[in-house]
Each structure stands twice: as C-alpha cells, then as structure tokens.
Amino acid sequence: MTNKPSSPTPHSVCFLTSIRSRRHHKRYKLQYSHFPVSMLCLITQGKGTVLIDQKRYEFEPQQLYYLTPGMNIELSVESENLAYYSLELEHYVGSQAIPSAAGSHKRLNLHGTDTPLFPLGLIPIRKSNTLLHKVQQLYEDSLQPNDPFKHHLQFQELLLTIMEHSTEQQPDEFPAAQGIEQALAYMQTHLDEQLEMKTLSKMAGLTASSFSRLFKKTVGETPVAYLSRLRMDNAKELLGQQDCRIKEVSKAVGYEDEFYFSRVFHRTVGVSPTLYMKRNRMRIAVASCTRLHDNMLSLGIEPVASINCCRYPGMSDAEYEHLLAAQWEELARAQPDLIIGDRYHQGFHHQFNELAASSILLTSPDWLVNYRKLSSMLGRHQEAEATLNQLALRVTSARRMLHHSMENKTVSVMQVTHACVRIHGTVNHPLNELIYHDLGLKPGRNVPLNSLSLEVQPEWLPPLEADYVFVLQKNVRAGSEAIYERMRRTHAWNSIQAVQSNQVRPIPQWVRMSWTPNGRAAIIDELLSMTGTEHTTS
C-alpha cells in the first residue's frame, strides 16, 4: 500500500521592485485612474483628503497605505507640500513541487497573484516612528551599491514590522480582537436568529461589559446599535428584490413579529417597508426652504413637485393666502405618494398627510444628518457618498487655497433683515460650520464663537475688525434696505477694515445653499472668487 501524496504546501513571496522618495509642491489635486501597480505608500509630509475607490481618508504624516492595481485614487492636498515614500511590490504565490522517487531537488512553482498582501487602503500602525526609520534606511541603502540579497532581507524585515504593528490593538488585546472578529462574522451569518449579547461575549471570551467596551472601540458603535443597523441594511437589500414579502424579510433579519419589524424599520430608515419597496416608482414631492429639491437631484431623483410654504416678511395676508393656495394646487395636481418636508414645514405635517399616503419631515439642524437620512430612505446611499466624497475633496483643496491667500485675514458674515443686523456665529448652522470649520477661515472680532448669531440694531453694531465682510440682504420688501442704510452711517461700520479697503461683498442665498452638497460647492466657488483666491493660486 502506497501513501497518498500530501497536497502541495502554499507559499507566498513578495519582492520590492523599486523604492522612491516623491515630493509634490503646490499641487492641489492628484488623480490616478486604474492604478497600475501594487504599492506601499508612507506619507512623510502633508495633509489632505484622499479617495481610494470612493472610500475617503484624511491623510497625514506617518500614515501607511496599501494600493493595488485597478484602484481609482483622487487626492486633494491641504498643505503646501506632499512628500511620501513609494515602495512598488510584486507578490507571488505558489506551491513547492514534490520530489520524484529519484530524489530530484524540490522546486518552487510561483505565479503572480492579485491576492492583497495587506488590508486595502489605510493600514493602521502603532509604532509609526519605527516604520519610518526602516523605510528611510531601506531607501538610503538602495541608493548605494549593495548586496541584492541583503537588500531583499531588509525589505522582508520591513514587511514583518508592518505585519506586527499594523493594528490599533495592544498586544494583550490580540486574542480579544480575534473574538470580536468572530462575533462580527457570527452576527452577519445569523441575522435570522435571536442573538443575545451574553452569547456573543462568551464567544469572544470576554465578560459582557468588556465585550461591549472593546466592541465599541473596534467597530465604532455598541453591539446593539451595530446589530440593528446590520439588520436594517440587510432588510433594505432584501426589500429591493422582486416579489419579496415583508413577512419573509422580517424573519430573515431576526424579527418574528413583522409589525414590530415595520415599526423599527420606519423609525430607523424613515419610511415604512411598503414605501421602501416602491421607492423607485414613488412620486415624491418636497416642501422646503432649504433646497431639498437640490438634494433630491444630487441623488438622481426628480421631485414631481417642489413647494415652499414659508411666509416671509413683507407678504400681505392676501398674498400669502394666494401663495398657499397655489402651492396646494401644485401638490394636488402632482398626486405624490410621499411628501418630504424640512424643519420649517412642521406646521403643515397634518395637511401633507391628507394629500399623500405618507409624509416625512427632516428636522435635524445638521444638513449632513438630513442628507444621509434622505439617501437612506430612498435607497441612494452610494450616490450620496459619492457626492459627499467629491465635496470633501473640494473643501480640502479650497481650505488650502484660502489659507495660502488669506494668511491671517479675518471674515465676518452678516444678514441685514427688516428688523435687525444678524452677525453669524461659528456654530449651529451649516453656513457657519462651512465658513469657519470646514474652510478654516478666521472669524473677525465680536463674531460669536459659541452661538448661532448675534442680533443687534444697526446703531449698536459692535466693532468687527474683519478684513472681509459678506452681507446678505434679506426681506427687502419689508424694509431691510432702511436697516442697511442706518448701519452704513454708523461709526462702527465705517471703522471696519473691510469697509475701508472696499472688501464688503454682497452674497446670494448662502444661508439656504449651505443645506445641500451642490450649494456648498457653489458657495466655495463664489468665496474663492470674491476673495481673489482663484487668481492668486492659479
């Protein structure tokens, strides 16, 4: 009887084909379509935003990225300089041939592979200084005549360093981290079962409290929140299939009671499972003064009607009644299945429900929360993230350009209404956050730092000491022009640096535009133009 030969043992070999030190000076954007090679990239200088196959990262020095052929990469650089080491790799796998009876030598049969050597994208490194030192040494040695075998061993030592330190966990957390991974995999494959935390924590080899703590540290949310989101995401995928039934979907994601599932789905996603199933056929209308229509268009959906029921100062009773009648007539004519309103239309919720099968209000003061909720309820998550990623690149590029051109100059944003002068603060509104946080512009003196705005009569205008003042005149029909003229006659106004240097800029409806991705991009373009930034940095 002869023994059956054992299966060949798999092998993996990685070679370094080149190592380069690269630097880009005053390059705002870099783009690579269908990245050609496998590469490790270690950032040594520079900050910004990078999209790797539409996954967004904020990069900074001593971060390590693993890139593979076919990736699409876009960078928007915030700093003046970008420097990094690039290590081009070739990865081979194969098996060791079995020796013949005559005792011939074994040989290694290798072939190129697309199997990733590391997790794609960002590789978290605990001891980045150690890694940087080894890469620098490898690069310097590559410039000198050297033993190729020694150079190869240096590279293998570098790979080992990455593998040993490519985790955010401490060494004593390795077994626990493996337990978390096991629990995650179990959740994903047993969604149709009643999962208890004590079962999952026992699986991970942890107490319930330790499991919950480490789970949130690793995943970013609690086990209960993660499981609920996982179930809703799977439910949305199943509801998108033809001939699905809510009862079957409910059981498939772990809910025996389909009515309870429907309530949870509605609370989480924003619409009922029935409406979600019809989302691609629904007639959707919007009622908004924060440009919900633009948000819908960015998701690839054209509303059947778009109305604004807000009453603005200067409107007479008869005019407003006529406006409302026209809005309701437009809604009735459109026959929507769903009406989506913003926070300024809460008083019309009951009337909306009389005109459509369902209505939803997006009431968060955070534009991004509303936008993501809108995309979730309409099944347009991918379209939303693609739009947000492009906006993030634009913000990063503009922040660098403004920092370069504005230096230590300050800005103030104000609205002049029919009743007062409103100086915008730095928080609690999408426009404030875009100007002062996302773009990093410096507020002028007396700009409220911890509130939405400061409202004053024109004669009580505080010293602003701003290099640029952006002014929105609102409610002209109600008398804002008179308030503006009163303000222009004050000593406080005429002592502002922006007034003296003719840097007061009238602005369009930035307050409303700031609620949408496309509106925010347009504000950035206008801001660059108004400050002369687009010319000084070209």
Side-chain angles (χ1 to χ4, degrees), residues 284-296 303-310 312 324 327-328 330-331 336 338-349 351-353 355-356 358-363 370 374:
I284 304 174
V286 295
S288 164
C289 61
T290 54
R291 304 205 174 192
L292 274 177
H293 182 274
D294 290 353
N295 281 337
M296 294 280 289
V304 295
S306 180
I307 67 169
N308 181 357
C309 298
C310 293
Y312 296 101
L324 276 185
Q327 304 288 334
W328 294 123
E330 181 180 350
L331 275 183
L338 172 67
I339 299 174
I340 303 174
D342 64 11
R343 62 199 306 240
Y344 301 102
H345 283 74
Q346 295 183 69
F348 299 95
H349 199 190
Q351 292 97 312
F352 292 159
N353 285 329
L355 283 171
S358 182
S359 67
I360 298 159
L361 295 176
L362 303 175
T363 59
N370 290 333
L374 181 68

Side-chain angles (χ1 to χ4, degrees), residues 379-391:
R380 300 297 176 102
H381 172 75
Q382 291 184 347
E383 291 86 346
E385 291 307 308
T387 298
L388 293 174
N389 286 340
Q390 289 302 316
L391 177 61

Side-chain angles (χ1 to χ4, degrees), residues 498-531:
V499 177
Q500 296 175 358
S501 59
N502 198 29
Q503 297 296 349
V504 177
R505 300 287 188 261
I507 60 175
Q509 283 290 346
W510 284 8
V511 173
R512 297 183 189 179
M513 293 163 63
S514 63
W515 288 85
T516 76
N518 293 340
R520 294 171 81 84
I523 291 172
I524 290 172
D525 291 341
E526 292 171 0
L527 186 60
L528 294 176
S529 177
M530 289 177 180
T531 58

Side-chain angles (χ1 to χ4, degrees), residues 20-32 35 39 41-48 50 59 67 73-86 400:
R20 294 183 174 91
S21 176
R22 300 178 181 269
R23 177 178 293 271
H24 299 283
H25 179 59
K26 291 188 177 180
R27 288 283 298 276
Y28 295 106
K29 292 184 179 180
L30 296 167
Q31 187 169 352
Y32 305 92
F35 201 71
M39 176 186 291
C41 179
L42 179 64
I43 309 294
T44 57
Q45 185 180 1
K47 295 175 62 178
V50 58
F59 68 83
L67 311 174
I73 301 169
E74 293 181 75
L75 291 95
S76 184
V77 185
E78 179 181 348
S79 52
E80 287 291 307
N81 297 294
L82 171 64
Y84 57 92
Y85 287 103
S86 63
R400 172 186 168 181

Side-chain angles (χ1 to χ4, degrees), residues 1-33:
M1 180 177 179
T2 59
N3 293 328
K4 185 178 180 180
S6 59
S7 300
T9 303
H11 293 268
S12 175
V13 180
C14 186
F15 297 100
L16 175 66
T17 58
S18 72
I19 177 171
R20 294 183 174 91
S21 176
R22 300 178 181 269
R23 177 178 293 271
H24 299 283
H25 179 59
K26 291 188 177 180
R27 288 283 298 276
Y28 295 106
K29 292 184 179 180
L30 296 167
Q31 187 169 352
Y32 305 92
S33 181

